[in-house]
């Protein structure tokens, strides 16, 4: 039989070693985050652990969980014991507020609406920009193939949709004009990937499309990781400020007794050291001093917020992305 | 009984083979073999080679570094742990279910047979969601579990549950036809000769089914280690804690860490190949024992 007592004993010993290995810190925090922040928190966590040990003498460990933002929020609502959530859209934390895991006023508990950094939606084109794509108008031209993740399932795709809509409005268009503009844009999108990383793979690995519309951090990362020989970053004339909100999950920290550490962890993101790490990972920091230091990297372009054009992300969600909403109508009616 | 059936079959096939008139022409055989081989090369061998080629593209150093990474080690350990719990559970269940279905008549037998097959027809993602709906914080048992501080979903028990569900049918499915073909004469003889129920099971039934059982266990184990969908839903994806190997491969791939992703994938493939080797050995031993039984 494949399970002799010896093997069972070896497995049990392994299990014991595994448990002990995980338990050597005084406190363990779980940070449930979205898809593309792994590299960021891989640097943030040791810095925070160091900082916390120096100021309090306590050893903390931080565990990470990554996945699609909305899916991750759903997991937390279903009982994944996150001490903190670090998401890429406020609606995902609102979901937790509706479930009573965080208070309704969670935005007010930390500076800048609880978003320690932002990003913005920009373009990545193929080397030499053969199709001469410079601004949002170029994306709706016939014959341009645009790669965007699905706005229904991805925060990244949602922001692309919203910035296109906002661009048309800012140019003086009414709702019909904005709708027409977004319709023409999505007519140029041949496939809708489920998430930001999926769209990146489509554009870079499958060589599909003339332009990838994605977050600045993702575009710059691709350029660095996959060689600047193949791709160029293009900044449009205007874009959207995408805020990445964070929150302490009250029900979890109160049960585990980790509120102090969880709160400090999030505050560390706002500290000069945290902001510096954030900037190094191509997210736009909130601290002016840090932003100025990296000004070459973060090209200053006019940015508008979701609230300015749509009232709130929640409202935009209801009108545009709910089942049967404007996005569904556009995609269904496309020829 | 099974031996008798097998003997009959081999004799028959030998006679069949001997007659030139019933044999396919050489070119038909050639084409069939060529098609089978081409299909095998294209859909099985090529992907397998690709996995290893990609894994080793940056050299052995990167390959081993990817496998000894603490997160990778914990994923490997977790995969083995989950299989080590799920497979014995399904072994016990599979034998009892097959025993009940093959040797007894009772009301609802057909229903039970159908239910055993259910995990094959249900999508693994749905299987995972079932457990979230049952044991999640907002699920049926959620409040009770929270009150008693029992963690099932997003922890090892959830992974085991999902794996058990998905690998449920393998052992039973393997045994039911075998036990039905064997009938119950030998057991009846044993009972008549004064054996107790346990004795009958250990001395008569188990020796008769052991190769089929082992085969079922191996298939069950292969699926348990490779399961993705159901496990993905209940895992919570905590690095170094609730990521099994298939989940870890996906994460690495999504992080552009292709060499590491393929390194871990190649280890999974190696485990699968090992399973196949063991499977072939088991089949070979089973056949040997069968022919030995015929000669005596």
């Amino acid at each position: 039989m494949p399970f002799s007592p010896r093997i069972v004993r070896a497995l049990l010993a392994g299990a014991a070693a595994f448990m002990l290995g995980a338990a050597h810190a005084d406190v363990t925090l779980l940070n449930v985050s979205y898809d593309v922040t792994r590299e960021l928190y891989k640097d943030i966590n040791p810095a925070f652990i160091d900082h916390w040990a120096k100021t309090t003498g306590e050893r903390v460990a931080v565990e990470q969980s990554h996945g699609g933002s909305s899916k991750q929020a759903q997991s937390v609502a279903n009982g994944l014991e996150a001490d903190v959530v670090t998401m890429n859209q406020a609606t995902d934390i609102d979901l937790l507020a509706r479930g009573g895991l965080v208070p309704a006023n969670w935005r007010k508990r930390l500076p800048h609406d609880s978003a320690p950094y932002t990003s913005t939606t920009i373009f990545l084109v193929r080397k030499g920009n053969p199709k001469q794509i410079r601004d949002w108008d170029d994306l709706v031209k016939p014959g341009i193939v645009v790669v965007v993740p699905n706005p229904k399932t991805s925060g990244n795709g949602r922001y692309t949709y919203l910035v296109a809509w906002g661009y048309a409005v800012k140019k003086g268009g009414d709702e019909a004009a904005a709708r027409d503009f977004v319709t023409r844009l999505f007519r140029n999108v041949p496939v809708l990937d489920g998430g930001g990383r999926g769209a990146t793979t489509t554009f870079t690995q499958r060589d599909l499309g003339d332009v990838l519309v994605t977050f600045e951090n993702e575009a710059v990362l691709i350029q660095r990781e996959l060689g600047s020989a193949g791709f160029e970053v293009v900044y449009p004339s205007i874009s959207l400020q995408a805020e990445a909100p964070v929150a302490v999950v009250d029900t979890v920290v109160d049960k585990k007794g980790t509120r102090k550490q969880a709160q400090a962890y999030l505050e560390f993101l706002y500290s000069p050291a945290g902001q510096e790490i954030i900037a190094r990972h191509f997210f736009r920091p909130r601290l002016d001093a840090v932003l100025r230091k990296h000004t070459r990297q973060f090209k200053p372009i006019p940015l508008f917020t979701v609230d300015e054009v749509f009232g709130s992300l929640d409202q935009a969600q209801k009108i545009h992305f709910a089942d049967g909403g404007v996005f569904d109508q556009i995609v269904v009616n496309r020829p | 009984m099974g031996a008798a059936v097998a003997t009959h079959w081999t004799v028959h096939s030998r006679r069949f083979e001997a007659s030139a008139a019933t044999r396919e022409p050489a070119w038909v055989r050639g084409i069939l073999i060529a098609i089978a081989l081409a299909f095998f090369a294209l859909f099985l061998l090529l992907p397998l080679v690709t996995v290893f080629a990609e894994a080793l593209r940056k050299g052995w150093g990167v390959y081993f570094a990817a496998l000894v990474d603490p997160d990778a080690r914990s994923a490997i350990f977790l995969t083995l742990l989950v299989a080590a719990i799920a497979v014995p559970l399904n072994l016990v269940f599979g034998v009892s279910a097959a025993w009940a279905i093959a040797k007894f008549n009772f009301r609802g037998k057909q229903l039970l047979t159908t239910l055993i097959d259910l995990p094959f027809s249900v999508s693994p993602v749905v299987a995972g969601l079932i457990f979230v709906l049952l044991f999640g914080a907002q699920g049926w048992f959620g409040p009770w579990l929270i009150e008693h501080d029992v963690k099932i979903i997003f922890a090892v028990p959830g992974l085991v549950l999902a794996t058990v569900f998905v690998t449920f049918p393998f052992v039973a499915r393997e045994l039911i036809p075998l036990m039905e073909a064997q009938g119950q004469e030998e057991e009846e003889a044993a009972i008549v000769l004064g054996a107790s129920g346990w004795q009958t099971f250990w001395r008569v039934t188990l020796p008769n089914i052991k190769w089929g059982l082992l085969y079922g266990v191996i298939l069950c184990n292969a699926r348990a280690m490779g399961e993705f969908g159901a496990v993905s839903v209940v895992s919570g994806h905590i690095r170094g804690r609730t990521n099994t190997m298939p989940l870890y491969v996906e994460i690495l791939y999504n992080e552009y860490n292709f060499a590491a992703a393929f390194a871990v994938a190649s280890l999974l493939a190696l485990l699968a190949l090992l399973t196949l080797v063991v499977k072939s050995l088991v089949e070979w031993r089973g056949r040997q024992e069968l022919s030995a039984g015929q000669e005596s």
Side-chain angles (χ1 to χ4, degrees):
Chain A
M1 281 288 110
F3 296 101
S4 74
R6 213 175 43 165
I7 293 175
V8 172
R9 262 204 302 277
L11 275 172
L12 287 178
F18 177 67
M19 300 304 175
L20 288 175
H24 71 266
D26 300 331
V27 179
T28 303
L29 298 178
L30 174 61
N31 175 5
V32 171
S33 192
Y34 58 102
D35 227 350
V36 299
T37 49
R38 177 217 169 203
E39 293 88 355
L40 170 66
Y41 285 108
K42 217 171 193 174
D43 285 352
I44 290 274
N45 292 347
F48 169 72
I49 290 165
D50 214 37
H51 158 81
W52 191 247
K54 275 196 193 117
T55 46
T56 67
E58 189 179 48
R59 279 188 304 178
V60 290
V62 185
E63 292 181 330
Q64 287 293 140
S65 168
H66 298 278
S69 190
S70 303
K71 183 186 162 200
Q72 291 288 85
Q74 194 63 53
S75 288
V76 174
N78 277 324
L80 180 58
E81 292 197 324
D83 299 271
V84 298
V85 287
T86 52
M87 296 301 183
N88 69 358
Q89 37 184 358
T91 39
D92 293 326
I93 303 184
D94 286 335
L95 176 92
L96 300 182
R98 275 199 295 279
L101 285 88
V102 300
N105 72 342
W106 63 268
R107 279 184 184 78
K108 299 287 156 249
R109 294 196 295 181
L110 286 162
H112 298 289
D113 278 347
S114 286
Y117 61 85
T118 65
S119 191
T120 186
T121 301
I122 62 167
F123 307 156
L124 192 74
V125 298
R126 307 209 178 269
K127 188 76 188 170
N129 201 356
K131 296 280 171 88
Q132 293 298 307
I133 295 159
R134 305 253 173 260
D135 206 355
W136 294 99
D137 289 318
D138 298 321
L139 301 187
V140 302
K141 286 181 182 157
I144 298 289
V145 180
V146 184
V147 178
V148 178
N150 191 346
K152 296 279 275 191
T153 56
S154 144
N156 192 330
R158 220 163 282 172
Y159 281 119
T160 298
Y161 173 100
L162 294 175
V163 63
W165 186 285
Y167 172 78
V169 170
K170 293 260 166 194
K171 263 180 53 178
D174 56 2
E175 201 189 310
R179 192 185 171 121
D180 175 61
F181 188 79
V182 175
T183 306
R184 283 194 292 153
L185 171 62
F186 277 89
R187 204 174 282 163
N188 283 346
V189 181
V191 282
L192 290 166
D193 284 293
R197 274 290 150 95
T200 300
T201 313
T202 298
F203 185 73
T204 59
Q205 307 285 311
R206 287 174 55 203
D207 267 339
L208 194 83
D210 302 309
V211 53
L212 171 71
V213 187
T214 191
F215 284 138
E216 181 180 38
N217 57 292
E218 181 79 354
V220 180
L221 182 72
I222 298 163
Q223 210 193 13
R224 298 273 164 101
E225 288 266 313
L226 303 176
S228 52
F231 308 100
E232 264 176 40
V233 170
V234 171
Y235 281 86
S237 64
I238 185 171
S239 194
L240 189 75
Q241 173 157 294
E243 298 183 329
V246 300
V248 168
V249 183
D250 292 61
T251 51
V252 175
V253 294
D254 287 345
K255 190 174 134 195
K256 282 174 64 182
T258 50
R259 178 177 287 281
K260 198 176 54 172
Q261 294 86 349
Q263 182 71 23
Y265 181 72
L266 293 186
E267 279 164 6
F268 181 74
L269 296 173
Y270 289 89
S271 71
Q275 292 274 298
E276 177 63 32
I277 296 172
I278 283 168
R280 278 209 306 270
H281 286 274
F282 322 120
F283 296 101
R284 296 190 170 214
R286 291 290 198 179
L287 275 183
D288 271 340
V290 181
L291 188 60
R292 268 200 304 277
K293 216 173 117 191
H294 294 270
T295 183
R296 277 162 60 97
Q297 185 179 304
F298 301 111
K299 196 178 162 190
I301 55 170
L303 299 173
F304 60 90
T305 64
V306 174
D307 297 9
E308 242 175 83
V309 180
F310 301 92
S312 77
L313 193 55
D314 204 33
Q315 247 169 302
Q317 172 77 23
K318 281 193 195 109
I319 295 171
H320 293 275
F321 307 120
D323 283 334
V326 180
F327 177 73
D328 276 356
Q329 296 163 23
I330 284 174
V331 173
V332 169
N333 293 337
R334 77 173 170 188
Chain B
M1 178 73 184
V5 170
T7 324
H8 178 70
W9 170 246
T10 34
V11 169
H12 180 79
S13 66
R14 220 174 279 140
R15 201 185 303 141
F16 180 82
E17 195 63 35
S19 160
T22 55
R23 219 183 282 163
E24 301 291 348
W27 64 272
V28 172
R29 267 193 296 171
I31 287 179
L32 285 176
I33 291 172
I35 290 176
L37 280 182
F39 192 84
F40 166 77
L42 195 64
F43 288 93
L44 295 172
L45 201 60
L46 192 67
L48 202 60
V49 170
T50 314
V51 166
F52 283 93
E54 284 288 330
L56 292 171
R57 197 150 76 168
K58 290 187 179 167
W60 287 97
V62 175
Y63 182 83
F64 284 117
L67 294 184
V68 298
D69 179 272
D71 286 347
R73 272 188 312 188
S74 109
I76 294 165
F77 172 75
L78 187 61
T79 301
L80 296 177
L81 177 73
V82 167
I85 301 172
V87 174
L89 281 178
N90 274 336
L91 174 99
V92 171
F93 164 78
V95 172
S96 0
W99 172 273
I101 286 170
K103 310 276 176 181
F104 300 101
N105 276 315
F106 53 92
R107 281 166 76 94
K109 182 164 149 174
Q110 206 55 49
L111 183 70
L112 182 62
T113 320
T114 314
L115 279 180
I116 288 173
D117 277 342
L118 189 72
F120 275 162
S121 50
V122 170
S123 157
V125 176
V126 176
L129 282 176
I130 291 171
F131 290 109
V132 173
L133 291 177
L134 281 178
F135 302 113
Q138 305 163 336
W140 284 12
F141 304 116
W144 187 89
L145 291 171
I146 292 170
E147 208 173 295
H148 294 79
D149 204 17
V150 180
K151 270 191 235 170
I152 292 187
I153 298 299
F154 311 121
V156 175
L159 297 173
V160 173
L161 272 177
T163 307
V164 167
F165 182 90
V166 173
T167 57
F168 216 46
F170 283 96
V171 175
R173 269 288 121 199
E174 199 59 43
L175 290 185
I176 291 170
L178 184 66
M179 286 171 109
E180 272 176 346
Q182 285 172 353
Q184 39 201 22
E185 285 90 346
E186 292 186 19
E187 276 91 350
E188 278 166 6
I191 303 270
V192 167
L193 290 173
S196 71
W198 265 119
Q199 281 176 318
T200 314
F201 177 76
W202 283 113
R203 302 272 174 88
V204 180
T205 310
L206 200 59
N208 272 340
I209 60 166
K210 71 178 170 201
W211 296 114
L213 180 63
L214 208 49
Y215 185 67
V217 164
I218 289 165
L219 285 181
C220 180
N221 182 55
R223 178 65 191 268
M225 291 195 299
E227 175 54 26
F228 179 83
V231 165
S232 170
V233 178
V234 298
S235 146
H237 303 275
I238 308 171
R239 291 181 82 94
R241 193 171 281 255
T242 63
N243 270 334
T244 62
M245 281 167 78
L247 302 180
Y248 189 57
V249 170
E250 190 212 20
I251 287 177
L252 288 173
Y253 189 81
N254 275 342
E255 284 164 359
Y256 307 138
N257 205 340
F258 299 128
F262 281 105
V264 178
S266 75
L267 193 64
L268 252 178
L270 275 181
L271 284 174
L273 287 177
L274 194 72
T275 309
L276 279 183
V277 171
V278 176
K279 192 199 92 173
S280 311
L281 271 178
V282 166
E283 280 178 328
W284 178 72
R285 274 297 300 273
R287 241 179 290 135
Q288 280 224 318
E289 201 150 289
L290 212 60
S291 49
Q294 281 161 29
E295 276 153 26
S296 62

